[in-house]
Amino acid sequence: MLTKHAVAGEAAALTEFWSQRVLASANGNLFKVAKGTRSTNWHSHDDQDETLLLLSGELTIQLRDGDVRLLPGDLLVIPRGVEHCPRVEGDEATFLLIGPEVTSNAAGGKPDWS
């Protein structure tokens, strides 16, 4: 059976920041929505690239050698092993994550307050 997902609506309906919800899987990848505010902790994923598509809001991916600013519709792949710290500009941002696992480390950079 085919399932249609309203991705932006699914992401906006999340009640917990920096948690991921799996919407679908295809070709060995999971398609997950998440909602963020403020920032995560610095972290990296040594076993996978992190692919994200910003749905709403404004997000800055802080890197040790410079920042990358994302606006809705922007897609970014953070290579495995690259330390990063997503920071939301404004109240909140929603995004779609695509990858082989929910996260490759226990917290995925999730801040203690979330």
Side-chain angles (χ1 to χ4, degrees):
M1 176 179 199
L2 296 178
T3 303
K4 179 178 109 172
H5 296 278
V7 178
E10 296 270 3
L14 292 171
T15 58
E16 189 175 338
F17 290 108
W18 302 114
S19 290
Q20 303 170 4
R21 180 166 171 251
V22 176
L23 295 182
S25 65
N27 300 314
N29 286 299
L30 297 177
F31 294 78
K32 306 157 283 187
V33 289
K35 178 164 56 174
T37 191
R38 302 188 336 224
S39 71
T40 68
N41 297 321
W42 282 91
H43 66 284
S44 64
H45 307 278
D46 293 331
D47 61 346
Q48 63 182 268
D49 300 330
E50 185 168 27
T51 304
L52 71 90
L53 172 66
L54 188 64
L55 302 171
S56 70
E58 188 176 325
L59 186 65
T60 297
I61 305 299
Q62 300 172 98
L63 303 167
R64 295 297 185 189
D65 62 353
D67 296 347
V68 179
R69 181 176 171 238
L70 301 176
L71 299 174
D74 288 345
L75 175 77
L76 181 69
V77 176
I78 303 165
R80 67 188 69 210
V82 172
E83 195 173 19
H84 58 286
C85 180
R87 181 183 72 227
V88 173
E89 308 297 340
D91 292 332
E92 68 181 43
T94 61
F95 43 95
L96 178 72
L97 296 161
I98 304 163
E101 299 175 4
V102 173
T103 186
S104 62
N105 57 5
K110 186 175 177 178
D112 293 336
W113 56 263
S114 179

